[in-house]
Amino acid sequence: MRMWSDRLDNVQSNTLSLAEEFSLFWESIQLYLFAKKSLFQEFFSSFNQERIIKMAFSHLGEKFFKKHIPRITKTIIFFLNEDRNGNAIPGPQLKRVIRMIYEIGLGDDIDLKKDDNNDFFYHPFGKVVRDFYQKEYLQYYIDHFEKDMVQDLTNIYTGKSQEWLQQTSPEFCRIALRYVQQELGRSEEYYNLSYEKVRDQLIEIIIT
């Protein structure tokens, strides 16, 4: 784990490389915990394997995630602004990293499963696949991504709405509606967990 952490230290912020390295870092942690779980299941069947996974995850969270997540979030926001400016962005990698932030938020209530493609992913204990996103696990996602993303959105549209006020009322409504639709589409594409928050924040900034 230290090797991956050191590699992340050496990757420049606001780059695709950072998103890719973080994805590999997270996948390596998934495999590490899966191996630990399998080991205890095989040789120590009487031991509480759920507790072992929780302890390991808690240790990794304290040691590594707190260090790297702020850079990851800033990089995500950088690419979102690139998208707003009409520049090409690594969409699939961006969605993957945002999902990983939610996965980390499962915290000490995690399980490791395989999907149909034999890819490992974290999952709430006792939940079926269709229930993967649970509101009770959103706090980490909110604290480490959504708050910063919404603040950036607020800064952007507070300035824009002041500029639009120079337009006539029909033109103001036309411009505002176009941008709101773009932002809601971006939210659906990349961070649908925040769709309602983004919608409400835009209404508050532009309408009120």
Side-chain angles (χ1 to χ4, degrees), residues 168-182:
T168 61
S169 293
E171 183 68 8
F172 175 92
C173 292
R174 185 187 68 79
I175 295 173
L177 179 61
R178 175 163 58 89
Y179 276 93
V180 168
Q181 289 174 335
Q182 288 176 0

Side-chain angles (χ1 to χ4, degrees), residues 48-78:
N48 187 336
Q49 56 182 291
E50 177 181 333
R51 180 170 176 267
I52 279 292
I53 298 298
K54 289 181 178 181
M55 290 169 57
F57 188 90
S58 178
H59 171 73
L60 290 167
E62 288 294 321
K63 194 170 183 62
F64 299 117
F65 297 142
K66 283 186 177 180
K67 178 180 180 181
H68 295 295
I69 286 296
R71 289 182 66 216
I72 299 299
T73 298
K74 289 179 181 178
T75 297
I76 295 170
I77 291 173
F78 168 80

Side-chain angles (χ1 to χ4, degrees), residues 5 16 83 108 113 119 200:
S5 183
L16 173 59
D83 187 48
D108 62 358
K113 297 183 181 295
D119 293 327
D200 294 345

